[in-house]
Amino acid sequence: MSSIPEEIYHEILLSLPVKSLLICKSVCKNWYSLISTSDFVQLHLHFTTQRNNPILMLEGSPSDKVLNFIGYDSLASSVCEFEDAAIEMHYPFKSSLHYHVRLVGSCNGLVCILLVDNDFEGFLCLWNPATREYKKIAIPSFSIMNYEVAAFGYAHKTDDYKLVVGFMESGALLIKDSTLVQVYTLASNSWEPRQTVPYQFPYYMQRHGVLVNGDFHWLAIAQDKFFLLCLDISDESFKELQLLPIELLDQKHNPCINLGVLEGCLCVIFTSSVNDVTIHREVWEMLDYGVQESWTRRYIITHENIIRNLFFYVSPLWCYENGKILFMNAGRLVLYDPEHGSARELHEHRNVSRLAGNYIESLVSLKSGTYVGGEGRIEELRET
């Protein structure tokens, strides 16, 4: 090893997947020390993020208790079957017969999941699928099943990970046009005292927010006004953005407006319908973040695979270099070709998924010392 210049093997190590790096830690003390440093972990994460090659996470149906991981390249292949390419992950507590799994969020290789038993009681868990480390999160004095919004992300100002949960509470504490918010921080492993914010998040909106420009975004209502709401997770502060396309501002009570992200830009998907029959879906993109005049209508979609299921959430998941877009529509994956106006479902036989999210592998540690048994197979997704 001494014959290889340090900068050379350092560069090689940074290019390796996490599983290979975990093996390399057993090679020698120097490599173990290097790979274990926070600087190496952050630099490896940076390079992984720059490659922009995430993996798609998919929930199974409520009865399946399944969490699938699949590469975007596999989904775009015309010869690949979903059932063959998807890898069922062994998430924490999967071996228990009592718990169903729900995705809450993902950030820097850490995944936040909600585990729910048959009595609709549950708990939260943070999990690094690449290293198999996990950390069970104690629930404060509210029912996690009632949450309306949740955001899991990295707080740059404090170098910490936070989970923000907003929920409605019945009884005397229920206030019209308000949501109770509670924040968990990983470093302290504790929940902060709850606070009330003067917003409502309609049930048909995306609960887990849209991450753009480092902040989370929702469509919200306050005092009968409809607007974009932005959350700075570092400051735990909400900010109103009156930035919807002018053409859509009159649709504040329409249940068919959804947020998404398209090629790194915030987008709105608006459904035009007559007598509860969908005519088409319009995709608007905010080309210049924070500038209302930059809203541009990119697509008008009329294909049946995209416009059906009027009252279900539709969202873009990924944009391919050839211009095709992967949508989630009513729990189904649909690959749409804007150039030809064509679309095809990628799993036609059953409703495989309910919620989806992007994941990148990392060495980020939860410092819990608890690990899921068995080996994950994330590295195989890179080879399919």
Side-chain angles (χ1 to χ4, degrees), residues 194-224:
R194 67 180 61 179
Q195 58 176 312
T196 300
V197 296
Y199 309 106
Q200 282 188 331
F201 301 85
Y203 69 93
Y204 49 82
M205 306 299 186
Q206 179 172 307
R207 291 195 297 174
H208 299 157
V210 174
L211 184 61
V212 176
N213 204 41
D215 293 329
F216 291 87
H217 300 77
W218 294 270
L219 294 171
I221 293 177
Q223 297 181 348
D224 205 33

PDB file of all heavy atoms in Angstrom, residues 194-224:
ATOM      1  N   ARG A 194     -43.799  21.751  20.909  1.00  0.00           N
ATOM      2  CA  ARG A 194     -44.628  22.001  19.734  1.00  0.00           C
ATOM      3  C   ARG A 194     -44.967  23.471  19.591  1.00  0.00           C
ATOM      4  O   ARG A 194     -44.970  24.236  20.556  1.00  0.00           O
ATOM      5  CB  ARG A 194     -45.906  21.174  19.811  1.00  0.00           C
ATOM      6  CG  ARG A 194     -46.842  21.585  20.940  1.00  0.00           C
ATOM      7  CD  ARG A 194     -48.088  20.732  20.980  1.00  0.00           C
ATOM      8  NE  ARG A 194     -47.779  19.325  21.203  1.00  0.00           N
ATOM      9  CZ  ARG A 194     -48.702  18.374  21.298  1.00  0.00           C
ATOM     10  NH1 ARG A 194     -49.979  18.666  21.178  1.00  0.00           N
ATOM     11  NH2 ARG A 194     -48.352  17.130  21.511  1.00  0.00           N
ATOM     12  N   GLN A 195     -45.249  23.857  18.367  1.00  0.00           N
ATOM     13  CA  GLN A 195     -45.695  25.213  18.074  1.00  0.00           C
ATOM     14  C   GLN A 195     -46.866  25.131  17.095  1.00  0.00           C
ATOM     15  O   GLN A 195     -47.064  24.125  16.418  1.00  0.00           O
ATOM     16  CB  GLN A 195     -44.563  26.037  17.460  1.00  0.00           C
ATOM     17  CG  GLN A 195     -44.002  25.437  16.174  1.00  0.00           C
ATOM     18  CD  GLN A 195     -42.946  26.306  15.528  1.00  0.00           C
ATOM     19  OE1 GLN A 195     -43.140  27.517  15.369  1.00  0.00           O
ATOM     20  NE2 GLN A 195     -41.820  25.704  15.175  1.00  0.00           N
ATOM     21  N   THR A 196     -47.647  26.184  17.042  1.00  0.00           N
ATOM     22  CA  THR A 196     -48.791  26.248  16.141  1.00  0.00           C
ATOM     23  C   THR A 196     -48.477  27.218  15.014  1.00  0.00           C
ATOM     24  O   THR A 196     -48.041  28.344  15.254  1.00  0.00           O
ATOM     25  CB  THR A 196     -50.055  26.704  16.884  1.00  0.00           C
ATOM     26  OG1 THR A 196     -50.347  25.785  17.935  1.00  0.00           O
ATOM     27  CG2 THR A 196     -51.239  26.755  15.931  1.00  0.00           C
ATOM     28  N   VAL A 197     -48.691  26.773  13.773  1.00  0.00           N
ATOM     29  CA  VAL A 197     -48.501  27.646  12.625  1.00  0.00           C
ATOM     30  C   VAL A 197     -49.863  27.890  11.981  1.00  0.00           C
ATOM     31  O   VAL A 197     -50.710  26.991  11.937  1.00  0.00           O
ATOM     32  CB  VAL A 197     -47.513  27.038  11.612  1.00  0.00           C
ATOM     33  CG1 VAL A 197     -46.132  26.913  12.227  1.00  0.00           C
ATOM     34  CG2 VAL A 197     -47.992  25.680  11.118  1.00  0.00           C
ATOM     35  N   PRO A 198     -50.114  29.093  11.469  1.00  0.00           N
ATOM     36  CA  PRO A 198     -51.457  29.461  10.994  1.00  0.00           C
ATOM     37  C   PRO A 198     -51.736  29.021   9.552  1.00  0.00           C
ATOM     38  O   PRO A 198     -52.133  29.819   8.709  1.00  0.00           O
ATOM     39  CB  PRO A 198     -51.439  30.990  11.105  1.00  0.00           C
ATOM     40  CG  PRO A 198     -50.022  31.340  10.833  1.00  0.00           C
ATOM     41  CD  PRO A 198     -49.197  30.245  11.454  1.00  0.00           C
ATOM     42  N   TYR A 199     -51.524  27.728   9.276  1.00  0.00           N
ATOM     43  CA  TYR A 199     -51.749  27.214   7.936  1.00  0.00           C
ATOM     44  C   TYR A 199     -52.444  25.864   8.013  1.00  0.00           C
ATOM     45  O   TYR A 199     -52.288  25.127   8.985  1.00  0.00           O
ATOM     46  CB  TYR A 199     -50.429  27.034   7.179  1.00  0.00           C
ATOM     47  CG  TYR A 199     -49.534  28.243   7.192  1.00  0.00           C
ATOM     48  CD1 TYR A 199     -48.381  28.269   7.976  1.00  0.00           C
ATOM     49  CD2 TYR A 199     -49.843  29.362   6.420  1.00  0.00           C
ATOM     50  CE1 TYR A 199     -47.556  29.378   7.998  1.00  0.00           C
ATOM     51  CE2 TYR A 199     -49.022  30.479   6.440  1.00  0.00           C
ATOM     52  CZ  TYR A 199     -47.880  30.485   7.233  1.00  0.00           C
ATOM     53  OH  TYR A 199     -47.067  31.585   7.242  1.00  0.00           O
ATOM     54  N   GLN A 200     -53.179  25.563   6.943  1.00  0.00           N
ATOM     55  CA  GLN A 200     -53.731  24.237   6.764  1.00  0.00           C
ATOM     56  C   GLN A 200     -53.149  23.630   5.499  1.00  0.00           C
ATOM     57  O   GLN A 200     -52.900  24.337   4.518  1.00  0.00           O
ATOM     58  CB  GLN A 200     -55.252  24.278   6.653  1.00  0.00           C
ATOM     59  CG  GLN A 200     -55.966  24.447   7.981  1.00  0.00           C
ATOM     60  CD  GLN A 200     -57.476  24.290   7.836  1.00  0.00           C
ATOM     61  OE1 GLN A 200     -58.039  24.576   6.796  1.00  0.00           O
ATOM     62  NE2 GLN A 200     -58.127  23.822   8.892  1.00  0.00           N
ATOM     63  N   PHE A 201     -52.934  22.321   5.544  1.00  0.00           N
ATOM     64  CA  PHE A 201     -52.387  21.603   4.407  1.00  0.00           C
ATOM     65  C   PHE A 201     -53.448  20.606   3.935  1.00  0.00           C
ATOM     66  O   PHE A 201     -53.609  19.546   4.543  1.00  0.00           O
ATOM     67  CB  PHE A 201     -51.109  20.871   4.810  1.00  0.00           C
ATOM     68  CG  PHE A 201     -50.044  21.789   5.339  1.00  0.00           C
ATOM     69  CD1 PHE A 201     -50.033  22.165   6.681  1.00  0.00           C
ATOM     70  CD2 PHE A 201     -49.053  22.281   4.510  1.00  0.00           C
ATOM     71  CE1 PHE A 201     -49.058  23.018   7.181  1.00  0.00           C
ATOM     72  CE2 PHE A 201     -48.077  23.131   4.995  1.00  0.00           C
ATOM     73  CZ  PHE A 201     -48.076  23.502   6.339  1.00  0.00           C
ATOM     74  N   PRO A 202     -54.194  20.952   2.881  1.00  0.00           N
ATOM     75  CA  PRO A 202     -55.287  20.088   2.440  1.00  0.00           C
ATOM     76  C   PRO A 202     -54.812  18.666   2.197  1.00  0.00           C
ATOM     77  O   PRO A 202     -53.704  18.437   1.712  1.00  0.00           O
ATOM     78  CB  PRO A 202     -55.756  20.764   1.140  1.00  0.00           C
ATOM     79  CG  PRO A 202     -55.359  22.188   1.302  1.00  0.00           C
ATOM     80  CD  PRO A 202     -54.077  22.161   2.065  1.00  0.00           C
ATOM     81  N   TYR A 203     -55.670  17.697   2.506  1.00  0.00           N
ATOM     82  CA  TYR A 203     -55.281  16.291   2.470  1.00  0.00           C
ATOM     83  C   TYR A 203     -54.851  15.830   1.090  1.00  0.00           C
ATOM     84  O   TYR A 203     -54.084  14.873   0.957  1.00  0.00           O
ATOM     85  CB  TYR A 203     -56.441  15.414   2.942  1.00  0.00           C
ATOM     86  CG  TYR A 203     -57.618  15.378   1.994  1.00  0.00           C
ATOM     87  CD1 TYR A 203     -57.720  14.394   1.038  1.00  0.00           C
ATOM     88  CD2 TYR A 203     -58.620  16.343   2.061  1.00  0.00           C
ATOM     89  CE1 TYR A 203     -58.792  14.361   0.153  1.00  0.00           C
ATOM     90  CE2 TYR A 203     -59.692  16.323   1.189  1.00  0.00           C
ATOM     91  CZ  TYR A 203     -59.784  15.327   0.237  1.00  0.00           C
ATOM     92  OH  TYR A 203     -60.834  15.304  -0.628  1.00  0.00           O
ATOM     93  N   TYR A 204     -55.299  16.521   0.067  1.00  0.00           N
ATOM     94  CA  TYR A 204     -54.975  16.072  -1.280  1.00  0.00           C
ATOM     95  C   TYR A 204     -53.607  16.563  -1.745  1.00  0.00           C
ATOM     96  O   TYR A 204     -53.138  16.183  -2.816  1.00  0.00           O
ATOM     97  CB  TYR A 204     -56.051  16.535  -2.281  1.00  0.00           C
ATOM     98  CG  TYR A 204     -56.404  18.000  -2.182  1.00  0.00           C
ATOM     99  CD1 TYR A 204     -55.629  18.972  -2.783  1.00  0.00           C
ATOM    100  CD2 TYR A 204     -57.539  18.398  -1.482  1.00  0.00           C
ATOM    101  CE1 TYR A 204     -55.958  20.304  -2.682  1.00  0.00           C
ATOM    102  CE2 TYR A 204     -57.876  19.735  -1.381  1.00  0.00           C
ATOM    103  CZ  TYR A 204     -57.080  20.679  -1.981  1.00  0.00           C
ATOM    104  OH  TYR A 204     -57.408  22.009  -1.879  1.00  0.00           O
ATOM    105  N   MET A 205     -52.982  17.404  -0.978  1.00  0.00           N
ATOM    106  CA  MET A 205     -51.660  17.886  -1.360  1.00  0.00           C
ATOM    107  C   MET A 205     -50.585  16.876  -0.959  1.00  0.00           C
ATOM    108  O   MET A 205     -50.800  15.985  -0.162  1.00  0.00           O
ATOM    109  CB  MET A 205     -51.362  19.229  -0.690  1.00  0.00           C
ATOM    110  CG  MET A 205     -52.411  20.295  -0.924  1.00  0.00           C
ATOM    111  SD  MET A 205     -52.596  20.682  -2.676  1.00  0.00           S
ATOM    112  CE  MET A 205     -53.745  22.057  -2.555  1.00  0.00           C
ATOM    113  N   GLN A 206     -49.419  17.060  -1.479  1.00  0.00           N
ATOM    114  CA  GLN A 206     -48.297  16.192  -1.130  1.00  0.00           C
ATOM    115  C   GLN A 206     -47.858  16.473   0.295  1.00  0.00           C
ATOM    116  O   GLN A 206     -47.478  17.578   0.648  1.00  0.00           O
ATOM    117  CB  GLN A 206     -47.133  16.439  -2.093  1.00  0.00           C
ATOM    118  CG  GLN A 206     -45.920  15.585  -1.787  1.00  0.00           C
ATOM    119  CD  GLN A 206     -44.873  15.705  -2.871  1.00  0.00           C
ATOM    120  OE1 GLN A 206     -45.170  15.509  -4.019  1.00  0.00           O
ATOM    121  NE2 GLN A 206     -43.654  16.021  -2.481  1.00  0.00           N
ATOM    122  N   ARG A 207     -47.897  15.437   1.132  1.00  0.00           N
ATOM    123  CA  ARG A 207     -47.613  15.630   2.553  1.00  0.00           C
ATOM    124  C   ARG A 207     -46.127  15.838   2.822  1.00  0.00           C
ATOM    125  O   ARG A 207     -45.755  16.487   3.797  1.00  0.00           O
ATOM    126  CB  ARG A 207     -48.111  14.428   3.355  1.00  0.00           C
ATOM    127  CG  ARG A 207     -49.618  14.320   3.416  1.00  0.00           C
ATOM    128  CD  ARG A 207     -50.060  13.363   4.489  1.00  0.00           C
ATOM    129  NE  ARG A 207     -49.603  12.003   4.234  1.00  0.00           N
ATOM    130  CZ  ARG A 207     -49.765  10.992   5.077  1.00  0.00           C
ATOM    131  NH1 ARG A 207     -50.364  11.188   6.231  1.00  0.00           N
ATOM    132  NH2 ARG A 207     -49.343   9.784   4.777  1.00  0.00           N
ATOM    133  N   HIS A 208     -45.252  15.262   2.015  1.00  0.00           N
ATOM    134  CA  HIS A 208     -43.835  15.248   2.355  1.00  0.00           C
ATOM    135  C   HIS A 208     -43.047  16.380   1.722  1.00  0.00           C
ATOM    136  O   HIS A 208     -41.828  16.423   1.824  1.00  0.00           O
ATOM    137  CB  HIS A 208     -43.236  13.897   1.968  1.00  0.00           C
ATOM    138  CG  HIS A 208     -43.882  12.758   2.687  1.00  0.00           C
ATOM    139  ND1 HIS A 208     -43.876  11.471   2.211  1.00  0.00           N
ATOM    140  CD2 HIS A 208     -44.585  12.717   3.840  1.00  0.00           C
ATOM    141  CE1 HIS A 208     -44.544  10.687   3.044  1.00  0.00           C
ATOM    142  NE2 HIS A 208     -44.976  11.422   4.037  1.00  0.00           N
ATOM    143  N   GLY A 209     -43.740  17.302   1.073  1.00  0.00           N
ATOM    144  CA  GLY A 209     -43.077  18.490   0.574  1.00  0.00           C
ATOM    145  C   GLY A 209     -42.248  18.237  -0.675  1.00  0.00           C
ATOM    146  O   GLY A 209     -41.910  17.112  -1.016  1.00  0.00           O
ATOM    147  N   VAL A 210     -41.924  19.319  -1.361  1.00  0.00           N
ATOM    148  CA  VAL A 210     -41.091  19.281  -2.554  1.00  0.00           C
ATOM    149  C   VAL A 210     -39.825  20.063  -2.256  1.00  0.00           C
ATOM    150  O   VAL A 210     -39.893  21.250  -1.899  1.00  0.00           O
ATOM    151  CB  VAL A 210     -41.841  19.880  -3.764  1.00  0.00           C
ATOM    152  CG1 VAL A 210     -40.922  19.966  -4.976  1.00  0.00           C
ATOM    153  CG2 VAL A 210     -43.073  19.040  -4.090  1.00  0.00           C
ATOM    154  N   LEU A 211     -38.684  19.426  -2.382  1.00  0.00           N
ATOM    155  CA  LEU A 211     -37.408  20.052  -2.037  1.00  0.00           C
ATOM    156  C   LEU A 211     -36.817  20.737  -3.265  1.00  0.00           C
ATOM    157  O   LEU A 211     -36.442  20.082  -4.241  1.00  0.00           O
ATOM    158  CB  LEU A 211     -36.435  19.003  -1.499  1.00  0.00           C
ATOM    159  CG  LEU A 211     -35.077  19.522  -1.001  1.00  0.00           C
ATOM    160  CD1 LEU A 211     -35.271  20.489   0.160  1.00  0.00           C
ATOM    161  CD2 LEU A 211     -34.178  18.371  -0.593  1.00  0.00           C
ATOM    162  N   VAL A 212     -36.757  22.056  -3.219  1.00  0.00           N
ATOM    163  CA  VAL A 212     -36.188  22.863  -4.296  1.00  0.00           C
ATOM    164  C   VAL A 212     -35.423  24.019  -3.666  1.00  0.00           C
ATOM    165  O   VAL A 212     -35.889  24.626  -2.714  1.00  0.00           O
ATOM    166  CB  VAL A 212     -37.271  23.414  -5.244  1.00  0.00           C
ATOM    167  CG1 VAL A 212     -36.657  24.323  -6.306  1.00  0.00           C
ATOM    168  CG2 VAL A 212     -38.042  22.283  -5.915  1.00  0.00           C
ATOM    169  N   ASN A 213     -34.223  24.290  -4.209  1.00  0.00           N
ATOM    170  CA  ASN A 213     -33.430  25.422  -3.727  1.00  0.00           C
ATOM    171  C   ASN A 213     -33.097  25.302  -2.238  1.00  0.00           C
ATOM    172  O   ASN A 213     -32.954  26.298  -1.535  1.00  0.00           O
ATOM    173  CB  ASN A 213     -34.171  26.739  -3.996  1.00  0.00           C
ATOM    174  CG  ASN A 213     -33.239  27.930  -4.071  1.00  0.00           C
ATOM    175  OD1 ASN A 213     -32.164  27.839  -4.652  1.00  0.00           O
ATOM    176  ND2 ASN A 213     -33.631  29.047  -3.480  1.00  0.00           N
ATOM    177  N   GLY A 214     -33.021  24.062  -1.747  1.00  0.00           N
ATOM    178  CA  GLY A 214     -32.648  23.815  -0.359  1.00  0.00           C
ATOM    179  C   GLY A 214     -33.788  23.897   0.635  1.00  0.00           C
ATOM    180  O   GLY A 214     -33.583  23.645   1.827  1.00  0.00           O
ATOM    181  N   ASP A 215     -35.000  24.256   0.173  1.00  0.00           N
ATOM    182  CA  ASP A 215     -36.148  24.382   1.071  1.00  0.00           C
ATOM    183  C   ASP A 215     -37.279  23.451   0.626  1.00  0.00           C
ATOM    184  O   ASP A 215     -37.361  23.051  -0.537  1.00  0.00           O
ATOM    185  CB  ASP A 215     -36.661  25.826   1.088  1.00  0.00           C
ATOM    186  CG  ASP A 215     -35.666  26.792   1.714  1.00  0.00           C
ATOM    187  OD1 ASP A 215     -34.914  26.363   2.610  1.00  0.00           O
ATOM    188  OD2 ASP A 215     -35.639  27.963   1.294  1.00  0.00           O
ATOM    189  N   PHE A 216     -38.176  23.144   1.580  1.00  0.00           N
ATOM    190  CA  PHE A 216     -39.345  22.320   1.294  1.00  0.00           C
ATOM    191  C   PHE A 216     -40.533  23.215   0.952  1.00  0.00           C
ATOM    192  O   PHE A 216     -40.683  24.302   1.505  1.00  0.00           O
ATOM    193  CB  PHE A 216     -39.691  21.431   2.494  1.00  0.00           C
ATOM    194  CG  PHE A 216     -38.684  20.350   2.760  1.00  0.00           C
ATOM    195  CD1 PHE A 216     -37.575  20.587   3.558  1.00  0.00           C
ATOM    196  CD2 PHE A 216     -38.835  19.090   2.204  1.00  0.00           C
ATOM    197  CE1 PHE A 216     -36.638  19.590   3.804  1.00  0.00           C
ATOM    198  CE2 PHE A 216     -37.911  18.092   2.436  1.00  0.00           C
ATOM    199  CZ  PHE A 216     -36.811  18.339   3.243  1.00  0.00           C
ATOM    200  N   HIS A 217     -41.382  22.719   0.048  1.00  0.00           N
ATOM    201  CA  HIS A 217     -42.517  23.517  -0.419  1.00  0.00           C
ATOM    202  C   HIS A 217     -43.802  22.701  -0.386  1.00  0.00           C
ATOM    203  O   HIS A 217     -43.811  21.509  -0.690  1.00  0.00           O
ATOM    204  CB  HIS A 217     -42.275  24.006  -1.852  1.00  0.00           C
ATOM    205  CG  HIS A 217     -41.060  24.873  -1.999  1.00  0.00           C
ATOM    206  ND1 HIS A 217     -39.781  24.359  -2.018  1.00  0.00           N
ATOM    207  CD2 HIS A 217     -40.936  26.230  -2.123  1.00  0.00           C
ATOM    208  CE1 HIS A 217     -38.909  25.358  -2.159  1.00  0.00           C
ATOM    209  NE2 HIS A 217     -39.589  26.489  -2.222  1.00  0.00           N
ATOM    210  N   TRP A 218     -44.891  23.392  -0.020  1.00  0.00           N
ATOM    211  CA  TRP A 218     -46.233  22.821  -0.056  1.00  0.00           C
ATOM    212  C   TRP A 218     -47.193  23.854  -0.619  1.00  0.00           C
ATOM    213  O   TRP A 218     -46.912  25.064  -0.617  1.00  0.00           O
ATOM    214  CB  TRP A 218     -46.722  22.449   1.344  1.00  0.00           C
ATOM    215  CG  TRP A 218     -45.989  21.347   2.015  1.00  0.00           C
ATOM    216  CD1 TRP A 218     -46.256  20.000   1.967  1.00  0.00           C
ATOM    217  CD2 TRP A 218     -44.851  21.478   2.882  1.00  0.00           C
ATOM    218  NE1 TRP A 218     -45.364  19.295   2.753  1.00  0.00           N
ATOM    219  CE2 TRP A 218     -44.493  20.173   3.320  1.00  0.00           C
ATOM    220  CE3 TRP A 218     -44.096  22.564   3.336  1.00  0.00           C
ATOM    221  CZ2 TRP A 218     -43.421  19.943   4.174  1.00  0.00           C
ATOM    222  CZ3 TRP A 218     -43.033  22.333   4.172  1.00  0.00           C
ATOM    223  CH2 TRP A 218     -42.704  21.031   4.594  1.00  0.00           C
ATOM    224  N   LEU A 219     -48.347  23.377  -1.034  1.00  0.00           N
ATOM    225  CA  LEU A 219     -49.487  24.255  -1.275  1.00  0.00           C
ATOM    226  C   LEU A 219     -50.297  24.293   0.010  1.00  0.00           C
ATOM    227  O   LEU A 219     -50.609  23.253   0.583  1.00  0.00           O
ATOM    228  CB  LEU A 219     -50.340  23.736  -2.428  1.00  0.00           C
ATOM    229  CG  LEU A 219     -49.657  23.756  -3.801  1.00  0.00           C
ATOM    230  CD1 LEU A 219     -50.507  23.020  -4.816  1.00  0.00           C
ATOM    231  CD2 LEU A 219     -49.408  25.191  -4.253  1.00  0.00           C
ATOM    232  N   ALA A 220     -50.615  25.479   0.487  1.00  0.00           N
ATOM    233  CA  ALA A 220     -51.280  25.618   1.784  1.00  0.00           C
ATOM    234  C   ALA A 220     -52.399  26.648   1.704  1.00  0.00           C
ATOM    235  O   ALA A 220     -52.511  27.412   0.733  1.00  0.00           O
ATOM    236  CB  ALA A 220     -50.271  26.026   2.853  1.00  0.00           C
ATOM    237  N   ILE A 221     -53.236  26.661   2.740  1.00  0.00           N
ATOM    238  CA  ILE A 221     -54.350  27.601   2.827  1.00  0.00           C
ATOM    239  C   ILE A 221     -54.306  28.291   4.189  1.00  0.00           C
ATOM    240  O   ILE A 221     -54.087  27.644   5.213  1.00  0.00           O
ATOM    241  CB  ILE A 221     -55.702  26.882   2.651  1.00  0.00           C
ATOM    242  CG1 ILE A 221     -55.839  26.349   1.220  1.00  0.00           C
ATOM    243  CG2 ILE A 221     -56.865  27.818   2.961  1.00  0.00           C
ATOM    244  CD1 ILE A 221     -57.107  25.559   0.988  1.00  0.00           C
ATOM    245  N   ALA A 222     -54.523  29.585   4.189  1.00  0.00           N
ATOM    246  CA  ALA A 222     -54.657  30.361   5.424  1.00  0.00           C
ATOM    247  C   ALA A 222     -55.616  31.499   5.157  1.00  0.00           C
ATOM    248  O   ALA A 222     -55.459  32.243   4.171  1.00  0.00           O
ATOM    249  CB  ALA A 222     -53.305  30.898   5.894  1.00  0.00           C
ATOM    250  N   GLN A 223     -56.624  31.627   6.022  1.00  0.00           N
ATOM    251  CA  GLN A 223     -57.641  32.673   5.883  1.00  0.00           C
ATOM    252  C   GLN A 223     -58.223  32.689   4.468  1.00  0.00           C
ATOM    253  O   GLN A 223     -58.384  33.732   3.838  1.00  0.00           O
ATOM    254  CB  GLN A 223     -57.040  34.034   6.237  1.00  0.00           C
ATOM    255  CG  GLN A 223     -56.579  34.109   7.682  1.00  0.00           C
ATOM    256  CD  GLN A 223     -55.997  35.458   8.045  1.00  0.00           C
ATOM    257  OE1 GLN A 223     -55.734  36.292   7.184  1.00  0.00           O
ATOM    258  NE2 GLN A 223     -55.805  35.684   9.326  1.00  0.00           N
ATOM    259  N   ASP A 224     -58.491  31.475   3.985  1.00  0.00           N
ATOM    260  CA  ASP A 224     -59.131  31.279   2.677  1.00  0.00           C
ATOM    261  C   ASP A 224     -58.266  31.749   1.516  1.00  0.00           C
ATOM    262  O   ASP A 224     -58.757  31.979   0.410  1.00  0.00           O
ATOM    263  CB  ASP A 224     -60.491  31.970   2.629  1.00  0.00           C
ATOM    264  CG  ASP A 224     -61.421  31.316   1.617  1.00  0.00           C
ATOM    265  OD1 ASP A 224     -61.317  30.084   1.438  1.00  0.00           O
ATOM    266  OD2 ASP A 224     -62.224  32.024   0.999  1.00  0.00           O
TER     267      ASP A 224
END
